[in-house]
Amino acid sequence: MSIESIHPLSIVLFLPAAGAIVIGLLVKEAKTVRITAALFTFVAFALSLALFVMFDRDGGLQFVEQAQWISSINAQYYLGVDGLSLPMVILTTFIGLVAVFVSWKINIRTKEYFIWLLLLETGILGVFCSLDLLLFFLFWEVELIPMYMLITIWGSGRKEYSAMKFVVYTLFGSAFMLAGILTLYYSASPHTFSMVDIASGAAILIPVIPLASIFFLIFIAFAIKLPVFPLHTWLPDAHTDAPTAVSVILAGVLLKMGAYGMIRLVAGFGDGGIVPGVAEDYAKIIVVFAVISVLYGAAATMRQTDLKRLIAYSSVSHMGFVLLGIFALNQLSLSGAVLQMFSHGLITGLLFAMVGLVYDKTHQRQIPLLGGLARQMPVICVVFSIAGLAALGLPTTIGFAAEFTVFMGSYNSTAFSGIQTCVVLAVFGIVIGAGYILWMLERVFYREPKAEYDGVGDANNMEKAYIFAFVGLILLFGVYPRLLLDVIAPVFSIWG
Amino acid sequence: MLPSTVLWVIFLLPLFSLAFISLVLRPFFNNYPKLSGYTIISCLAVALGLSIWVMTSSDQFPVESTIEWAVVGDFRISLGFVADNLTAIMLIVVTGISLMVQIYSQGYMHGDPGYHRYFAFMSLFTASMLGLVLASNLLLVYVFWEGVGLGSYLLIGFWFHKPSAAAAAKKAFIVTRFGDFGFLIAILILYFTTGTFNIAELNNLAMAGILGGTTLTLAALGIFSGAVGKSAQFPLHTWLPDAMEGPTPVSSLIHAATMVAAGVYLVARTLPMFASSEFAIMFVAVIGGVTAIFAASMGLVMNDIKRVLAYSTISQLGYMMLGLGTVGVAISQGYLTYEEGIGLGIAVGIFHLFTHAFFKCLLFLGAGSVSHASGTFDMRLMGGLRKYMPWTFLVFLAGALSLSGIWPLAGFWSKDMIVLHAWEHTPVLFWLAIITVFMTAFYMFRVIFMTFGGEYRGGEQGHGDHAHGEPHESPLVMVFPMAVLALMAIGCGWAIWGGGAAQFLGEAGYYGLHGAHWHAHGFFDVFTKVGEEPMPLIALAVALAGILLAYTMYSAKWISPERVGKVFAPLYTLFSRKYYLDELYEQVFVVRILQNGIFRLIELFDIYVVDGIVNGVANITVVGSSTLRRLQTGQLQSYGLAIVLGVLIIMVVLFIYR
C-alpha cells in the first residue's frame, strides 16, 4: 500500500478546519476550546513532520492526490508537495501550532477566535499544496476572511482601517491574478488549470495576449503579498493592529504565499515556470526593486518607535532578500530564497511572539517608554536577543545561512550584467539591520531598570516551551542548513 | 602523530564549558558560582596542553580536517580546520592568555551576581576565537569572526544596566559590522572569481598570478576593511576606547590580546593575496603607520588608565599592520620574492602580536588590580600605589618597559623588527613608527608615575563593589596570573635568539615557503654590532628619551604638565577630544545625516507619498462612486434622454469617420 492511498496531504490540510468544525459544534468551554485547537494543530504538525521525513530527497512532486472537481471546466482537486512547498507546509503547521499557544490568553469570544484561527491555517496550507490554479486561487481568497475577522474583532489600534486596507489591497491584486489565471486557462491547449501541465509543457501555451502581460497580471498579486516596495504599506498597519498570534502568522507564513507564488511563476516545478521565459527579460528591474525594498525597508525601520511596527518594517527589508534570490534566477539563489523564506518565518515569527510577551507583561509597546527590562524579564530578554541576532544575520543562526546563500547565489548570477552591484547594495542592508536591532534591544532591555516594571514577571512555562522551540529550530538549521537545502535544492536543479 | 581530532577537541572544550555552565550550572547550581570558574579553567588548561602538543608537532603541518556543510548542485561549501605554524602560535596565545585571564577573573569578579553568565560568555568568546584561528577557509573565518564579535558585544555590555556600557556594546558591534560588510563582499568576489573559499588555494592562486588585477585589489581591500573594524584601525577605531566599559579582564583578553589582533591575524593569513596587489598592501602599511601615531597621540592625554591602554592597543595594532605591510610592500615591488617575503612578513607582524598579547594583557590586568584597590580608573585620583601594592607595581613596570621597547624585554625584540623593516622598505612610515616609539614610552611612564609614584590621592570612595578605605594588594588569585604574564612579557622575546620563534613563524609551512629571509639576532647584538645594525640602539635611545620626558614632567616635576598643556592648548584639546571623530560619526553622520536626514525623509515619503497614494486612490474610489451613484436617478425620462443623446453621438461619429 502506497502512502498516497491514505491521502496524507488532505489530512494535514483539513485537520485544522476539522478542528474548527469540532470546536464550533461540540465544544463550549473556553479551556476545552484551546485544548482542542492545540490538539488538532499538533497532529497536523506531527503529520507534516512525518511527510518531511518520508519525502524522497531526489525531488519531484510527492504525496500527489488528483480528482475531478468541476469537470465542465476541467478544474481538479489536485494536491502535491515538492521541495519548495514542503518546507512551507512544515513552517505553516509549526507556526499554526505556536499561534494557538500564543493565543492562550484570549478570553473575548474565545470559541469564535479559535475557529477563525484554525480556518486560517487550512487556507494557508491550501495555497501551498494546490497544484490546480483555480484551487490555488480559491485558497488564496479563503484566507482573507478569517484574517479580516481576526484583525477587526481581536485587534488593537486602528484595527478596522488596517483590516480593511489589508483585505482591499489583497483583493486588488487578486483581481489581476484571476484575470491572469483565466488568460492562462484559455491560452493553454487543451484548456487546463493544472499548474503541473502548464509548467511542464504538457499543455501547450498559445498565449492570447503577450506572455509578459499574463506574467505581470499574476505577479502583481504576489508582489503585494510579499510585499515589494512600493506596495508594502498595508503590512505595517496590519501587523501592528493584529492580535499577536495573527502578527506571528502574518509575518511567519502569510508573506511567504507571495514569494511561493512568484517562484512557481518563475521556476514552476523545476521545469521552467508557469509563465516561462518572462522573468529573464524583467529580472533587472525586479532586482532593482528588491534592492530598494531591502534598503528602504531598513531605513524606515530605523525610524519606528512602536516595537511591533519596527519588526513589521524590518520584514519589508528581509523579504527583499527573497525577491533578490528569486530573480537572480539560479539554483543557489533560488534555494537561498526558499531558505530565507523559512528563516524569516521562524525569526520574525519569534520576534512578534516576543513583542507580544513584552506587551503582555508591560502593556507598553512604545520603545522610548520601555527600558531596563533585562533585570525584570531575563528569559524574555535572552530569547528576544537571540531572535534579534538571528535577524541581523549572525552566523550559526538560520538568518545567516539563508542570507549568505542568497548573496552567494545572486552574486554568481548571470541573469543580467551588473547584478553584482545590486547584491553589494543589498548586503549593506545587514549593516543597517545590525543598527536597528541592537538599538532596539538597548532601548528595551538594557540601561537602568525602571521601577514601574518591577514585578511584571517573566515568561511562564508554556511560553518558555514555544519560544525555546523557535530558538532550537533557528540554531539547528543555522548550524546545519543541509537539513533543508537537501530538500529544496533539487527543485531548481535545471537552473544550474 | 598528531590526529586532526585534536584540533576539534581544542575548539570544542570551551564550547563544552559554555554548554555546561549555561545548561547545567546556571539552572541547577546557581548558588555555587565558583563551579563555573573551575569549569572554564579546567577546560582551558586541557586546551592549552593540547595546543602545546600541536605546536611541538610542527613537522607534521599542515594537519587538516574538513566536513561538507552545504551542497547545492555544483556548489559545495566545505568547512574545516587546519594547523600550521601560524595557527599553532595563535592557539598558544589564545588558550594561554584566556586561561590566565579566567584565573584572574575569579578574584576580580568575585561576588558579582552575573558570575555564571560572565564565564559562559567568556567560554563563548574563547571558543569562537579558537575557531577563528583554526579555520581553513574564509567563510568559516567569517563565521567565527562574527562569533568573537558577539562575545565582545555581550561582554562589553556585561553590566548592561549601565547606559554607557549598553551604548558601548552596541557601538562596538555596529562599527565592526561596518567593516565586516567589506569582508563579506570580499568573500563573494573571491568565490565568484575562483570558485573556492579555501585560504591556501586563494593564496596560491594569487601568488601564481591567476588571481590578480582590480579583482584582487578589491578583494584584498574588502578583507582589510574587516580587519580595520576588528583591529580598531583608523578610521574605525572609535569603538575600542568605549569598549573599556566592560569588566577589565574582558578588556584584557578581548580588547587587548586576542580579538582585536584577529584583524592582524587575518591579514597575515592572507598576506600572499595582499602582497600581490601593490595598492592594497601599501594601503595596509599606510593605515598601520598612521594609526600607530594617531592613536598614540590620544594616549598622551587621557586620564583614565584603561583608556590610555586602549589607545596604546590601537597604536600597537597599527604597528603590527605596519610590520605586515612594509614587508608586503617590498614583495609587491619586487625587492623580495614570495619565497623570502611571505614568511618574513608573517614573522614580523605576528611576532609583535605574540609579545604584545602578553604584555598588554598584563597591563590591563594590572590596571584592573589598581582599580580593585582604589575604586577608580582615574589616574588623577591614584598615586603612590607602589607602597600599597608592590607586586602589582612590579609586574606593571615589567609590562610598561616591555611595551616601551626597552632591552632586553620582549617588546624590544618584536618592535625592533618592525622598525627595522619599515626603515628598509617604507622610509616615510619609518618616521611615523619611530616617533610613536617615543610617544609610547612617554605615555606608559606617565601612567606609571601618576599611578604608582608620589602620594596616594584618595581614590574614589563608595564606588562599585571594590571600594575600600585603604588601598591594598590584590589577592593571590589575581597576582599569580599577572606574575606568569610578567615572566612572559620579560622573556618571551628571547625566543628570537638565533631565529627561534620568528624562524618558526617564518616557516609558514602552509604555503610551502621555507626560505624565509631573516636577521638572526643575538642577545647583545644591540650593543656589539652597532656598526652594522644601528637601528635597534636608536630605537632604544628614543624610547629612553620618552621615559625621561615622562620622568621630568610627572615624577621630578621639573616641567609642569599644566604649563605644557597650555602652551600646546590647541593640540591638547584636539587629542583629548579624540580629533572630534566621535562627534563627527555619532552627532553628524548617524544623527544628522542618517537618522534625522535620509531615514527621516524616507519615513515621511512612506507616510505621505507611498501610503498617501494608496489612501488617495481609496478616497477617490469612495468619492467617485458616490458621485456616480447620483446619475442613477431612477427617472425613466432622463435615461431616455441619455439613450437618445448616445445614439445621436454614435451616428455623428460614424458619419464623420465613415
Side-chain angles (χ1 to χ4, degrees):
Chain A
M1 190 185 77
S2 76
I3 175 78
E4 276 80 8
S5 63
I6 58 160
H7 304 287
L9 264 190
S10 290
I11 296 176
V12 171
L13 172 56
F14 289 109
L15 257 177
I21 294 168
V22 168
I23 290 172
L25 297 180
L26 303 177
V27 186
K28 282 211 172 63
E29 212 188 328
K31 196 178 169 194
T32 331
V33 167
R34 293 184 192 113
I35 292 169
T36 315
L39 208 65
F40 275 87
T41 48
F42 176 77
V43 175
F45 172 61
L47 282 179
S48 66
L49 265 191
L51 293 186
F52 185 76
V53 173
M54 284 189 288
F55 185 82
D56 179 359
R57 262 53 177 176
D58 290 337
L61 277 170
Q62 295 173 35
F63 314 115
V64 174
E65 295 171 35
Q66 199 166 8
Q68 280 299 323
W69 176 30
I70 313 172
S71 49
S72 55
I73 54 167
N74 195 18
Q76 306 172 67
Y77 175 77
Y78 189 5
L79 305 179
V81 285
D82 64 355
L84 164 60
S85 41
L86 184 60
M88 292 301 115
V89 168
I90 294 174
L91 184 64
T92 310
T93 53
F94 175 69
I95 300 268
L97 172 62
V98 170
V100 170
F101 292 113
V102 171
S103 312
W104 213 252
K105 288 182 182 159
I106 296 274
N107 44 25
I108 312 157
R109 298 162 77 173
T110 313
K111 185 168 162 175
E112 229 180 304
Y113 176 92
F114 280 96
I115 291 175
W116 289 124
L117 195 70
L118 293 177
L119 287 178
L120 178 62
E121 185 177 341
T122 290
I124 300 168
L125 283 171
V127 169
F128 294 131
C129 295
S130 301
L131 297 176
D132 180 283
L133 284 168
L134 203 62
L135 194 63
F136 173 85
F137 185 76
L138 181 87
F139 280 117
W140 182 274
E141 296 297 299
V142 154
E143 148 269 323
L144 283 178
I145 305 159
M147 214 55 207
Y148 178 79
M149 295 300 175
L150 287 166
I151 299 177
T152 34
I153 300 175
W154 293 274
S156 58
R158 290 201 300 171
K159 53 190 183 182
E160 290 88 359
Y161 166 82
S162 298
M164 187 55 89
K165 190 172 183 176
F166 168 74
V167 169
V168 171
Y169 222 136
T170 310
L171 279 177
F172 174 80
S174 305
F176 289 103
M177 177 156 73
L178 185 59
I181 289 176
L182 291 176
T183 325
L184 261 184
Y185 174 77
Y186 284 112
S187 305
S189 153
H191 295 337
T192 180
F193 286 110
S194 161
M195 295 183 199
V196 179
D197 288 354
I198 296 175
S200 67
I204 297 150
L205 272 189
I206 307 159
V208 289
I209 57 171
L211 263 184
S213 33
I214 305 180
F215 182 88
F216 280 104
L217 279 173
I218 302 180
F219 180 81
I220 185 104
F222 298 149
I224 289 171
K225 205 71 162 188
L226 188 70
V228 181
F229 168 88
L231 306 172
H232 63 274
T233 51
W234 63 268
L235 181 141
D237 286 327
H239 278 72
T240 309
D241 295 337
T244 302
V246 176
S247 303
V248 171
I249 292 179
L250 253 173
V253 281
L254 223 74
L255 306 183
K256 278 68 198 179
M257 289 165 43
Y260 169 81
M262 278 188 199
I263 298 178
R264 283 280 185 248
L265 201 57
V266 169
F269 302 86
D271 39 18
I274 291 173
V275 182
V278 180
E280 288 81 352
D281 297 340
Y282 293 90
K284 191 167 188 169
I285 180 79
I286 296 174
V287 164
V288 168
F289 271 96
V291 174
I292 295 176
S293 294
V294 168
L295 295 178
Y296 180 98
T301 310
M302 285 293 296
R303 294 286 312 173
Q304 303 308 318
T305 50
D306 181 305
L307 209 43
K308 246 180 154 179
R309 240 183 138 71
L310 187 145
I311 308 293
Y313 264 104
S314 78
S315 284
V316 177
S317 184
H318 283 121
M319 291 306 283
F321 292 133
V322 175
L323 191 63
L324 169 68
I326 296 175
F327 283 88
L329 297 171
N330 65 39
Q331 188 185 13
L332 191 58
S333 75
L334 279 159
S335 307
V338 181
L339 199 57
Q340 171 73 359
M341 286 156 68
F342 199 87
S343 148
H344 179 265
L346 287 180
I347 295 169
T348 311
L350 176 57
L351 281 170
F352 273 116
M354 298 316 296
V355 172
L357 289 183
V358 170
Y359 183 75
D360 188 45
K361 318 282 174 195
T362 62
H363 303 288
Q364 184 57 262
R365 273 193 343 234
Q366 289 303 313
I367 297 171
L369 300 177
L370 292 164
L373 292 177
R375 274 282 157 79
Q376 288 115 341
M377 36 179 82
V379 174
I380 290 179
C381 169
V382 168
V383 176
F384 209 138
S385 304
I386 293 175
L389 292 167
L392 63 78
L394 196 83
T396 70
T397 67
I398 189 173
F400 172 74
E403 282 172 13
F404 185 75
T405 316
V406 169
F407 296 151
M408 278 302 296
S410 315
Y411 199 89
N412 288 284
S413 162
T414 50
F416 57 91
S417 63
I419 192 171
Q420 284 77 16
T421 316
C422 295
V423 177
V424 170
L425 288 172
V427 174
F428 194 74
I430 68 169
V431 179
I432 312 179
Y436 60 69
I437 293 284
L438 296 183
W439 192 32
M440 180 265 289
L441 289 176
E442 181 193 356
R443 287 179 294 170
V444 173
F445 291 106
Y446 306 140
R447 303 179 180 169
E448 290 287 341
K450 294 188 176 181
E452 68 248 50
Y453 301 125
D454 277 346
V456 287
D458 206 343
N460 64 31
N461 282 337
M462 188 190 69
E463 289 159 352
K464 276 182 193 162
Y466 68 76
I467 59 182
F468 288 163
F470 267 114
V471 169
L473 292 176
I474 286 171
L475 293 176
L476 174 70
F477 294 121
V479 173
Y480 202 58
R482 274 187 81 164
L483 287 175
L484 279 173
L485 278 176
D486 283 354
V487 169
I488 298 167
V491 179
F492 308 109
S493 53
I494 65 151
W495 294 78
Chain B
M1 187 62 203
L2 177 71
S4 59
T5 338
V6 172
L7 307 182
W8 291 94
V9 174
I10 292 176
F11 164 69
L12 289 172
L13 275 166
L15 210 58
F16 165 79
S17 161
L18 165 68
F20 189 70
I21 293 173
S22 49
L23 300 179
V24 178
L25 294 183
R26 175 67 181 77
F28 304 112
F29 298 90
N30 202 14
N31 296 328
Y32 303 92
K34 282 201 177 310
L35 289 179
S36 55
Y38 297 153
T39 305
I40 187 171
I41 287 169
S42 38
C43 283
L44 286 174
V46 176
L48 176 62
L50 292 175
S51 300
I52 292 171
W53 183 16
V54 170
M55 177 125 142
T56 51
S57 314
S58 64
D59 53 323
Q60 295 163 42
F61 289 162
V63 176
E64 245 181 305
S65 160
T66 51
I67 55 158
E68 218 147 65
W69 184 61
V71 181
V72 177
D74 300 332
F75 174 88
R76 288 161 186 279
I77 302 179
S78 320
L79 299 182
F81 286 161
V82 66
D84 64 357
N85 301 30
L86 178 54
T87 299
I89 290 271
M90 294 300 292
L91 286 179
I92 299 282
V93 170
V94 176
T95 51
I97 295 214
S98 187
L99 178 61
M100 290 303 134
V101 169
Q102 307 317 332
I103 295 174
Y104 177 95
S105 296
Q106 292 184 98
Y108 193 82
M109 300 303 286
H110 182 77
D112 192 287
Y115 202 80
H116 283 301
R117 186 162 55 94
Y118 176 85
F119 284 108
F121 289 170
M122 278 293 201
S123 305
L124 170 69
F125 170 80
T126 309
S128 305
M129 193 66 211
L130 289 170
L132 174 65
V133 299
L134 280 164
S136 64
N137 79 43
L138 278 183
L139 180 60
L140 194 57
V141 170
Y142 182 83
V143 167
F144 291 119
W145 189 261
E146 296 284 295
V148 291
L150 172 66
S152 162
Y153 168 78
L154 295 171
L155 284 162
I156 296 170
F158 183 74
W159 289 312
F160 51 77
H161 50 87
K162 277 166 60 186
S164 55
K170 175 193 64 179
K171 181 173 172 180
F173 197 101
I174 294 175
V175 173
T176 50
R177 187 140 250 232
F178 207 81
D180 295 351
F181 164 68
F183 186 16
L184 193 55
I185 300 292
I187 294 176
L188 294 178
I189 294 177
L190 286 171
Y191 187 86
F192 179 64
T193 320
T194 65
T196 181
F197 294 117
N198 188 291
I199 298 172
E201 284 174 30
L202 288 168
N203 281 334
N204 286 329
L205 287 171
M207 289 190 290
I210 298 166
L211 176 63
T214 321
T215 314
L216 178 65
T217 304
L218 283 177
L221 289 177
I223 294 177
F224 188 57
S225 137
V228 165
K230 211 50 120 200
S231 288
Q233 299 292 286
F234 175 82
L236 298 182
H237 62 279
T238 55
W239 66 270
L240 186 60
D242 288 20
M244 298 300 124
E245 290 294 339
T248 304
V250 169
S251 314
S252 156
L253 174 64
I254 302 183
H255 305 115
T258 56
M259 184 191 82
V260 287
V264 177
Y265 164 80
L266 183 63
V267 175
R269 181 54 96 193
T270 55
L271 191 61
M273 281 192 254
F274 279 93
S276 305
S277 162
E278 214 170 312
F279 180 78
I281 192 66
M282 186 54 99
F283 194 73
V284 171
V286 171
I287 288 287
V290 168
T291 304
I293 190 166
F294 170 78
S297 72
M298 291 180 278
L300 298 176
V301 298
M302 295 294 148
N303 287 318
D304 179 313
I305 186 168
K306 277 182 83 180
R307 301 240 162 190
V308 176
L309 293 176
Y311 282 109
S312 164
T313 304
I314 300 174
S315 169
Q316 295 300 310
L317 291 164
Y319 249 98
M320 299 170 205
M321 289 290 187
L322 174 63
L324 290 167
T326 196
V327 178
V329 166
I331 300 172
S332 75
Q333 294 177 345
Y335 297 117
L336 292 173
T337 62
Y338 287 118
E339 284 274 307
E340 297 162 345
I342 298 297
L344 176 65
I346 294 174
V348 170
I350 298 297
F351 188 44
H352 194 53
L353 186 158
F354 176 71
T355 59
H356 175 262
F358 293 106
F359 59 70
K360 188 53 70 62
C361 178
L362 166 64
L363 288 170
F364 268 105
L365 294 186
S369 175
V370 159
S371 90
H372 200 254
S374 66
T376 181
F377 289 109
D378 191 335
M379 295 188 293
R380 288 169 297 190
L381 302 175
M382 297 177 183
L385 292 176
R386 188 176 60 166
K387 265 197 306 226
Y388 303 102
M389 29 198 344
W391 283 107
T392 302
F393 169 68
L394 273 180
V395 297
F396 199 90
L397 184 66
L401 286 168
S402 194
L403 171 58
S404 305
I406 302 304
W407 183 86
L409 278 68
F412 168 80
W413 304 97
S414 57
K415 188 174 284 188
D416 181 37
M417 296 309 303
I418 294 171
V419 175
L420 204 62
H421 285 93
W423 172 247
E424 269 180 46
H425 306 301
T426 49
V428 179
L429 298 176
F430 161 78
W431 291 107
L432 298 184
I434 200 80
I435 297 170
T436 309
V437 169
F438 177 79
M439 289 158 89
T440 308
F442 173 78
Y443 67 63
M444 271 328 292
F445 277 81
R446 175 172 171 265
V447 169
I448 293 266
F449 294 128
M450 282 178 82
T451 309
F452 296 100
E455 288 303 312
Y456 186 53
R457 292 185 288 274
E460 193 166 321
Q461 301 303 324
H463 176 276
D465 305 330
H466 301 321
H468 311 276
E470 183 90 331
H472 59 91
E473 184 57 277
S474 295
L476 182 65
V477 71
M478 288 165 71
V479 172
F480 167 73
M482 290 198 289
V484 172
L485 288 167
L487 290 178
M488 289 302 281
I490 293 167
C492 77
W494 300 343
I496 204 177
W497 296 341
Q503 192 67 41
F504 180 82
L505 276 168
E507 288 274 320
Y510 193 27
Y511 309 110
L513 303 173
H514 294 285
H517 156 81
W518 190 256
H519 300 271
H521 281 277
F523 196 61
F524 295 106
D525 284 1
V526 193
F527 308 108
T528 55
K529 292 191 182 168
V530 174
E532 315 153 33
E533 205 56 276
M535 197 52 71
L537 195 63
I538 295 175
L540 183 58
V542 169
L544 288 171
I547 295 177
L548 188 67
L549 181 64
Y551 177 77
T552 55
M553 284 174 72
Y554 294 97
S555 183
K557 311 238 162 114
W558 295 329
I559 308 172
S560 144
E562 287 74 30
R563 286 272 300 282
V564 178
K566 275 193 191 115
V567 173
F568 295 102
L571 269 184
Y572 181 83
T573 317
L574 190 65
F575 293 167
S576 59
R577 298 301 300 271
K578 310 167 214 165
Y579 295 82
Y580 297 95
L581 279 180
D582 275 338
E583 282 83 355
L584 180 69
Y585 291 169
E586 282 161 40
Q587 300 308 316
V588 179
F589 183 66
V590 174
V591 175
R592 292 262 173 83
I593 296 183
L594 290 180
Q595 193 62 354
N596 294 336
I598 299 171
F599 294 168
R600 173 90 183 122
L601 278 181
I602 286 179
E603 187 195 18
L604 293 176
F605 180 79
D606 203 57
I607 296 172
Y608 294 106
V609 180
V610 181
D611 205 32
I613 290 174
V614 173
N615 286 326
V617 170
N619 288 337
I620 289 168
T621 319
V622 173
V623 175
S625 55
S626 61
T627 315
L628 283 176
R629 198 183 54 203
R630 293 202 195 111
L631 292 176
Q632 306 211 333
T633 53
Q635 292 174 314
L636 218 51
Q637 41 291 44
S638 53
Y639 291 163
L641 184 67
I643 292 170
V644 171
L645 274 175
V647 169
L648 275 176
I649 290 169
I650 291 168
M651 283 173 68
V652 170
V653 169
L654 283 177
F655 181 73
I656 293 169
Y657 288 99
R658 193 168 43 154

